[in-house]
Amino acid sequence: MPTRAEALTAAGRILAQARARRDALSPEDAARAAYMPGGPSIEELVALIREHRTSVVGEISAA
C-alpha cells in the first residue's frame, strides 16, 4: 500500500498529465472533451478554459 505522500505525488502527476493533454487542444476542443450533460455548457467551459490559461500565463510572466 502506498504512503500518503506517494499517493499525493501520483495524483499530482496524473493531474499534470491531464492538464497537459487538455492544454494541447484548442479551448473549443478541450471544452467539447470536458462537456458532461447537466454540467456547464460548452460555451461556459470554453470561457473557463480561456480564463485558466490566461491566469497561468500571467502567473508565469510575473515569476
Side-chain angles (χ1 to χ4, degrees), residues 12-31:
R13 190 174 302 116
I14 291 167
L15 179 59
Q17 290 169 350
R19 283 194 169 176
R21 281 193 302 273
R22 180 200 69 188
D23 291 347
L25 299 172
S26 70
E28 293 78 11
D29 287 341

Side-chain angles (χ1 to χ4, degrees), residues 22 24-35 42 46 49 53:
R22 180 200 69 188
L25 299 172
S26 70
E28 293 78 11
D29 287 341
R32 282 191 285 277
Y35 175 74
I42 291 175
V46 168
I49 292 166
R53 289 180 182 181

Side-chain angles (χ1 to χ4, degrees), residues 23-56:
D23 291 347
L25 299 172
S26 70
E28 293 78 11
D29 287 341
R32 282 191 285 277
Y35 175 74
M36 295 180 68
S41 69
I42 291 175
E43 292 79 15
E44 290 169 318
L45 290 170
V46 168
L48 288 170
I49 292 166
R50 285 188 173 138
E51 180 181 323
H52 178 259
R53 289 180 182 181
T54 301
S55 69
V56 168

Side-chain angles (χ1 to χ4, degrees), residues 1-11 13:
M1 176 179 257
T3 66
R4 183 175 192 273
E6 291 169 335
L8 289 172
T9 298
R13 190 174 302 116

